[in-house]
Amino acid sequence: MTRHFLTDLDLSPAEQAEVLDLAAAMKADRYGYRTYAGPQGTGSKTVAIIFDKTSTRTRVSFAAGVADLGGNPLIINPGESQLGHKESVADTVRVLERMVHTVVWRTYAQAGLAEMARYSSVPVINALSDDYHPCQLLADLLTVREHHGRTAGLTLAYLGDAANNMANSYLLAGVTAGMHVRVAGPDGFLPGETVVAAARERAQATGGSVLVTTSAADALDGADVLATDTWVSMGQEDEKSDRAEVFRPYAIDEAALATAAPGAIVLHCLPAYRGQEISAGVIDGPQSVVWDEAENRLHAQKAIMHWLMDASGLLAEPGEPSPSGRRA
Ligand code: CP
Ligand code: NVA
């Protein structure tokens, strides 16, 4: 069965830990995993990386990551293909799956990704949708592990637009990693009931927990990890002026950081807007780990690409056992 990574729930807690272990190993030996190069005499694997929205980190980390694995990254920028305006998702992926080995897609509606996966015999990876950003969360959790030594039992507080893709992914991926996830935002900008219920259900299996609140102070109190994101996500540009005031109490600044745990670290998926959701002093200060977090996109995405191919039985050549992933 082909495995896809469309939401953070697509990995069980054990699978998420396995992917993070692999990401750490790949980080320690950047050029040691050539699993997209193919055995001697066979072709390398191609990954189509499609963007309906703009990107810096996702584009560069997937392109570099596929190259590190010995594969061939094919970047398709917004407006460059027939997808969405001249050709349906289903017809597009019916063609792509004949030519490439994985499809990575940054788009708007989550339903499009679900439709693509339905018609695809190769793994489909969500590179950000309006609802989730699961690749970012793998990088964030790897960063938490590096700085705190673990994820389980830690408290993560996300402040700001608690109805956006990052908030949803913090909830789902955070509890999958056994964390206590608190999300705080203004009324009208809190996560939907379905996501909260799914996070609570998964938390029961991992020992994590969920708090959804309008109180920034309640979320911040003693937290081990602070996280925020832009107040205006891609596609919401028309709402920019209405949002600035309502989100102001949820900014992560020096006063907010002072109420977290003494060794707290600060995450931001970037791009960041200094003086809005995060102060310059915090993002450029000693507790910020945002550059490690950005780098970890590379390692985490190499790991999830390899893992999905392996779990789908697509790394093995006919007649050969599934490769372990390590260089001989
Ligand atoms: N964090 C993130 O996904 O960055 P880009 O939008 O630059 O890809
Ligand atoms: N919530 C932001 C994340 C950017 C990486 C957006 O969707 O624009």
Side-chain angles (χ1 to χ4, degrees):
M1 187 187 71
T2 304
R3 295 290 301 266
H4 305 285
F5 191 46
L6 308 182
T7 87
D8 309 86
L9 289 181
D10 286 340
L11 295 178
S12 71
E15 289 170 346
Q16 184 197 68
E18 213 178 293
V19 171
L20 294 174
D21 288 345
L22 180 59
M26 287 179 159
K27 184 170 183 173
D29 185 11
R30 179 166 174 186
Y31 303 108
Y33 293 78
R34 304 281 297 171
T35 57
Y36 275 39
Q40 194 72 29
T42 68
S44 61
K45 294 186 169 34
T46 296
V47 177
I49 309 163
I50 309 170
F51 290 93
D52 295 346
K53 295 174 176 173
T54 54
S55 166
T56 296
R57 275 145 294 273
T58 306
R59 179 195 318 257
V60 175
S61 54
F62 268 110
V66 173
D68 286 359
L69 293 174
N72 175 38
L74 169 63
I75 305 273
I76 302 172
N77 286 313
E80 281 183 357
S81 77
Q82 322 286 25
L83 173 60
H85 57 114
K86 289 188 183 168
E87 196 165 25
S88 69
V89 171
D91 285 0
T92 300
V93 80
R94 283 171 170 138
V95 173
L96 293 182
E97 67 163 11
R98 301 287 179 106
M99 303 178 191
V100 308
H101 302 84
T102 298
V103 181
V104 174
W105 190 17
R106 167 168 288 194
T107 189
Y108 292 87
Q110 184 70 21
L113 281 153
E115 191 185 359
M116 183 175 277
R118 201 158 47 242
Y119 288 95
S120 180
S121 61
V122 300
V124 175
I125 297 177
N126 179 358
L128 180 148
S129 67
D130 289 344
D131 292 345
Y132 304 104
H133 198 0
C135 291
Q136 180 70 53
L137 259 290
L138 290 178
D140 286 29
L141 292 172
L142 182 61
T143 310
V144 172
R145 275 186 172 199
E146 289 172 350
H147 288 274
H148 278 312
R150 66 195 166 100
T151 53
L154 295 178
T155 297
L156 181 147
Y158 170 89
L159 271 67
D161 182 359
N164 76 4
N165 41 19
M166 285 301 299
N168 289 341
S169 279
Y170 275 119
L171 280 169
L172 299 181
V175 298
T176 299
M179 300 181 87
H180 303 294
V181 183
R182 304 172 182 165
V183 298
D187 263 331
F189 297 95
L190 295 171
E193 278 173 27
T194 312
V195 169
V196 175
R200 290 216 158 100
E201 190 184 330
R202 182 152 284 196
Q204 282 182 351
T206 64
S209 66
V210 171
L211 173 73
V212 177
T213 177
T214 54
S215 164
D218 287 355
L220 287 163
D221 185 29
D224 303 296
V225 181
L226 305 189
T228 189
D229 183 20
T230 179
W231 292 336
V232 186
S233 286
M234 289 179 273
Q236 300 172 337
E237 288 79 6
D238 292 351
E239 299 170 36
K240 190 172 175 183
S241 53
D242 300 339
R243 284 174 169 249
E245 275 319 302
V246 73
F247 284 117
R248 191 83 48 211
Y250 302 90
I252 296 192
D253 55 15
E254 286 77 347
L257 185 54
T259 66
I265 59 171
V266 179
L267 297 171
H268 191 310
C269 66
L270 307 173
Y273 299 86
R274 288 171 174 76
Q276 295 187 48
E277 77 274 6
I278 194 161
S279 68
V282 170
I283 195 170
D284 298 319
Q287 286 169 270
S288 167
V289 294
V290 301
W291 312 119
D292 290 344
E293 180 188 3
E295 178 193 329
N296 283 339
R297 295 292 302 278
L298 171 71
H299 311 298
Q301 288 159 193
K302 286 167 68 177
I304 189 66
M305 285 190 286
H306 171 95
W307 191 92
L308 291 171
M309 290 287 284
D310 202 21
S312 305
L314 296 172
L315 276 183
E317 297 300 320
E320 289 191 354
S322 181
S324 68
R326 288 293 283 115
R327 178 168 52 191

